[in-house]
Amino acid sequence: KTLSEFSEYNVEEYIAATIDLEDGYNKIYDAYKHNIRKNIKKAIREDVNIKEIKNIRELKEFYKMAQYTYNLHKTVLPYSYTLYENIFHIMCSKNLAKFHIATKNDIPIAGSIHFFSKEEVFNWLTPSYREYQLYRGNTLLIDQIIKMSCDKGLTTYNLGASPKDSNGLLSFKHSWGADDRMYNYINYTNDLLKTILNAKRIFYNLVR
C-alpha cells in the first residue's frame, strides 16, 4: 500500500515565459522594458564581464553562489555538487549545457546555467550575490545569452516555469518581452516520499 501511495500526485499548471528569437537580437532588445535596457547599460558602464566557465575552480565558485542564493530564500539547494560537475564534464563538452559567470573586478557576482537543444535554450538557474546586485550582472548575463542564441540560429529562449500565482516573478520575465507557455507540473502528494527526498537533498549538501 505504501509503495502504491508513492505514485500519488497532483498535476498543476505552471507558466513558462519564452522569447521568440527568430526576429533577431535587435528587435528583441527593442522589446525589452525600459528597466531591462537601463540595467544592461548600467552593467556595461560598471565593466561587468561575462565569461563561460571553463574549469573546476570557477565551477565551484558557481556552486557556492547557488548555495548562497537558495539559503537567501530560506531553502536548501536541491542538487549536489556532483550533479553540477557531471553536467560540466558530460553536457558542456557536447554543447548541451553552458555555465557562465559575471564578474566585477574579477569578483564573481552572478552566474547562470543554460541547457541547449537544437532549437531552444533553457535558463535553469541564475544565482547571484545580493551585495553586488547594484551592478546588474544577472541582467547583462541573460541578455548576452539571448544574443549568443540569436547568433547561433536558435528559435526560443525559455526563462523557465513559474506557478500561476507568482505575479512578481512573471512580471520580471514579461519585462524581457516574453510570452507565456503553459506547462504541467507533477507534485507528489505522499508525505513520506517528500520527507525522503528532502532528507536526501540535505544529506547531499552536508557531504558534498
Side-chain angles (χ1 to χ4, degrees):
K1 180 180 178 181
T2 302
L3 288 174
S4 66
E5 289 175 349
F6 274 9
S7 63
E8 292 179 2
Y9 59 88
N10 293 325
V11 178
E12 302 175 16
E13 278 194 327
Y14 272 50
I15 300 173
T18 62
I19 301 171
D20 185 350
L21 304 180
E22 294 188 285
D23 288 335
Y25 174 74
N26 290 335
K27 286 188 177 180
I28 293 169
Y29 182 88
D30 290 342
Y32 294 163
K33 293 289 179 66
H34 171 72
N35 65 309
I36 295 293
R37 296 197 302 271
K38 179 175 130 182
N39 289 339
I40 291 169
K41 292 173 183 176
K42 165 79 171 175
I44 293 171
R45 285 198 309 271
E46 294 288 349
D47 293 323
V48 173
N49 180 52
I50 307 296
K51 65 176 182 178
E52 186 176 348
I53 290 176
K54 293 291 190 180
N55 58 59
I56 293 299
R57 179 185 61 80
E58 293 172 344
L59 182 67
K60 288 182 177 178
E61 286 287 348
F62 177 89
Y63 186 74
K64 180 180 175 183
M65 192 185 305
Q67 287 180 306
Y68 165 86
T69 300
Y70 271 82
N71 290 337
L72 189 66
H73 293 90
K74 310 299 183 185
T75 186
V76 177
L77 183 64
Y79 308 108
S80 69
Y81 170 75
T82 302
L83 174 64
Y84 290 82
E85 191 169 8
N86 285 338
I87 291 170
F88 179 74
H89 287 304
I90 299 170
M91 298 186 71
C92 290
S93 64
K94 298 178 180 179
N95 293 319
L96 297 174
K98 288 185 184 294
F99 290 89
H100 287 84
I101 197 164
T103 60
K104 164 73 174 173
N105 297 330
D106 295 324
I107 299 172
I109 64 174
S112 73
I113 175 172
H114 288 82
F115 293 113
F116 294 82
S117 69
K118 290 181 179 179
E119 297 183 349
E120 184 164 321
V121 53
F122 175 73
N123 182 331
W124 190 49
L125 181 64
T126 50
S128 63
Y129 290 118
R130 176 166 285 183
E131 63 185 297
Y132 299 115
Q133 190 173 6
L134 72 162
Y135 299 121
R136 307 302 180 188
N138 256 351
T139 306
L140 182 62
L141 201 156
I142 292 173
D143 173 68
Q144 291 301 297
I145 302 301
I146 289 173
K147 186 176 187 302
M148 179 191 74
S149 300
C150 288
D151 293 342
K152 288 180 174 294
L154 300 179
T155 61
T156 307
Y157 184 91
N158 190 331
L159 281 154
S162 307
K164 288 192 292 186
D165 58 354
S166 301
N167 296 327
L169 184 56
L170 287 168
S171 176
F172 166 76
K173 292 178 178 180
H174 292 156
S175 66
W176 291 88
D179 296 317
D180 290 339
R181 181 198 296 176
M182 301 307 299
Y183 274 84
N184 285 331
Y185 177 80
I186 295 176
N187 180 35
Y188 288 99
T189 58
N190 180 269
D191 289 337
L192 177 58
L193 179 59
K194 288 180 181 178
T195 302
I196 292 171
L197 293 175
N198 287 332
K200 184 178 179 182
R201 291 166 184 166
I202 294 169
F203 175 76
Y204 278 154
N205 281 279
L206 289 174
V207 302
R208 64 187 183 280

